[in-house]
Amino acid sequence: DTAVSQTPKYLVTQMGNDKSIKCEQNLGHDTMYWYKQDSKKFLKIMFSYNNKELIINETVPNRFSPKSPDKAHLNLHINSLELGDSAVYFCASSRSGTSNTQYFGPGTRLTVL
Amino acid sequence: GQQVMQIPQYQHVQEGEDFTTYCNSSTTLSNIQWYKQRPGGHPVFLIQLVKSGEVKKQKRLTFQFGEAKKNSSLHITATQTTDVGTYFCAGRTSGNTPLVFGKGTRLSVIA
């Protein structure tokens, strides 16, 4: 069984569209994250949720809205997509605490045309 | 804010040569983690270091945490083509702060 799964794996869309990426983890973790990895491979945290509550919200345009319906899911909705949003988006999860190894999903490659 | 600098950005080595990547933080870290991302893949956890001066080994990989807990290194002995990928360090200043990733070192191994 996949520990952290994301859908879709690839997403190609036009500028201005709205899209969502879904993430699910079956590890029983209570913290989930969204990361953005650009073409230079820089990995930057966007959001972190602990027990369905937002605990980290880095400087991200408010076109990006995370939603956590329960501890096992963290979805990312993006409004009015822009060319600069093209990247690979990784979901990750971990337990709370100092030794929180992060388990990453396979990534969603978003291409905005 | 906290910054984690990682060098070099790229490294090309002949198979069998050694490889080292270095990580430096602007602030003292409570722990540091290392991840490996294969081409087209996702970051995978390798190890966590917590104690000042700690050294851990995984087969040909040696991880060190500096005495001041502000720097770390990953050394690979006798690289193999399976070592290809991007190696990230990631550190946090306390248990409640987010993990901050370095920009990664992309390793290429020429057979």
Side-chain angles (χ1 to χ4, degrees):
Chain A
D1 285 341
T2 304
V4 183
S5 58
Q6 292 179 231
T7 53
K9 191 170 173 61
Y10 300 97
L11 188 52
V12 181
T13 188
Q14 298 283 339
M15 262 195 326
N17 284 349
D18 303 340
K19 290 293 178 187
S20 291
I21 307 171
K22 296 186 175 182
C23 178
E24 177 181 2
Q25 55 95 3
N26 63 7
L27 297 167
H29 290 162
D30 49 18
T31 306
M32 296 185 72
Y33 312 82
W34 277 109
Y35 286 87
K36 179 180 179 181
Q37 186 171 49
D38 61 23
S39 57
K40 294 183 179 178
K41 297 291 188 183
F42 299 156
L43 199 59
K44 189 170 169 58
I45 191 166
M46 300 174 69
F47 301 102
S48 173
Y49 267 75
N50 182 267
N51 284 316
K52 303 194 312 176
E53 289 189 18
L54 180 66
I55 56 172
I56 294 171
N57 182 357
E58 294 294 309
T59 307
V60 175
N62 57 15
R63 299 181 294 104
F64 290 80
S65 53
K67 283 188 171 51
S68 182
D70 55 58
K71 282 188 352 178
H73 296 84
L74 181 62
N75 304 323
L76 183 65
H77 187 76
I78 316 170
N79 288 328
S80 304
L81 279 156
E82 300 177 358
L83 293 176
D85 297 332
S86 295
V88 179
Y89 291 84
F90 287 103
C91 175
S93 74
S94 72
R95 290 182 298 174
S96 298
T98 56
S99 298
N100 50 357
T101 301
Q102 299 200 2
Y103 294 81
F104 284 80
T108 296
R109 183 175 292 276
L110 171 65
T111 303
V112 182
L113 303 174
Chain B
Q2 180 194 351
Q3 291 187 3
V4 175
M5 311 299 290
Q6 194 172 350
I7 57 169
Q9 191 172 348
Y10 301 97
Q11 185 81 58
H12 306 280
V13 300
Q14 290 281 342
E15 190 173 23
E17 290 182 341
D18 293 355
F19 158 76
T20 305
T21 173
Y22 301 90
C23 191
N24 289 288
S25 169
S26 54
T27 54
T28 302
L29 301 171
S30 64
N31 59 59
I32 193 156
Q33 298 178 358
W34 285 91
Y35 291 77
K36 176 183 178 182
Q37 183 177 18
R38 292 181 187 273
H42 58 277
V44 175
F45 174 80
L46 293 177
I47 209 159
Q48 175 169 274
L49 305 171
V50 178
K51 299 176 185 174
S52 168
E54 189 170 12
V55 177
K56 286 188 177 180
K57 292 193 175 186
Q58 288 180 350
K59 298 183 181 178
R60 294 178 294 103
L61 277 61
T62 302
F63 304 84
Q64 290 189 315
F65 201 9
E67 294 289 341
K69 299 183 75 173
K70 294 178 78 171
N71 57 70
S72 180
S73 65
L74 158 58
H75 179 82
I76 303 179
T77 304
T79 54
Q80 299 175 359
T81 53
T82 53
D83 296 325
V84 164
T86 301
Y87 292 84
F88 292 95
C89 63
R92 59 165 43 86
T93 53
S94 71
N96 295 325
T97 58
L99 202 58
V100 176
F101 280 79
K103 292 185 175 178
T105 296
R106 196 178 303 185
L107 172 64
S108 301
V109 179
I110 305 163

